[in-house]
Amino acid sequence: MSDIPTSDKFVDVDPAAAGRFFGTPDTGPVVMLNLIRLRPKADYSLAPDLEPTGGIDGAGAYDLYIKGIEPLLKQTGGELLFLGSSENFLIGPQTEAWDIVMLVRQTSKASFLSFASDPEAQQITAHRTAAVADSRLLPITPDPRFI
């Protein structure tokens, strides 16, 4: 867990990228590759009512997010395929490190949008926002040649 300059961090979906993603045909399942770098101490400044008494570290806040969001994910046809940790790349910049690697499968872009726009999911996502210092979210469309 490390602090990085604010100008270099990515925590929320970029509206232009969302427009491109949702503006293309919905061809079925999509897997989301999540790379997460956690804050040493969770920052609940955007949702102070959700902060646990005495504060919490980024890992603890992300655990609260996963525990709360997974049932909602399942309700929309989604599935947490993999959640793990990572240290260093074998191929890639050795200065770049991610605390959490996660794969989430949704049945379609529409189900992902339904999940992401649910008010309860948005409230739970405040734990993620408090936990994350930097992230990457890469939508992956399965290649029909290998299904």
Side-chain angles (χ1 to χ4, degrees):
M1 292 181 265
S2 62
D3 287 322
I4 58 174
T6 304
S7 62
D8 295 337
K9 75 177 196 171
F10 299 87
V11 177
D12 298 315
V13 174
D14 176 87
R20 287 189 301 273
F21 176 67
F22 290 110
T24 59
D26 193 342
T27 58
V30 61
V31 174
M32 298 291 187
L33 168 63
N34 294 260
L35 300 175
I36 307 293
R37 186 174 301 125
L38 298 169
R39 296 175 190 271
K41 180 176 178 0
D43 176 4
Y44 279 93
S45 60
L46 297 177
D49 54 316
L50 293 180
E51 184 171 16
T53 304
I56 192 170
D57 65 8
Y62 204 81
D63 285 348
L64 291 173
Y65 166 68
I66 292 296
K67 288 175 186 169
I69 210 74
E70 192 170 13
L72 299 177
L73 178 64
K74 289 179 181 179
Q75 288 174 9
T76 59
E79 177 184 9
L80 178 60
L81 298 175
F82 178 84
L83 178 65
S85 61
S86 175
E87 292 190 17
N88 298 358
F89 285 104
L90 290 177
I91 299 174
Q94 295 304 302
T95 56
E96 187 175 307
W98 300 99
D99 298 310
I100 295 174
V101 177
M102 183 169 60
L103 294 171
V104 176
R105 181 183 179 280
Q106 280 285 358
T107 56
S108 65
K109 290 180 184 182
S111 66
F112 175 68
L113 186 57
S114 172
F115 161 74
S117 60
D118 178 272
E120 187 177 358
Q122 290 175 351
Q123 182 177 11
I124 293 166
T125 298
H127 290 294
R128 180 192 181 281
T129 302
V132 173
D134 192 16
S135 65
R136 304 293 183 269
L137 178 61
L138 180 64
I140 305 166
T141 304
D143 187 324
R145 298 174 298 165
F146 298 101
I147 296 178

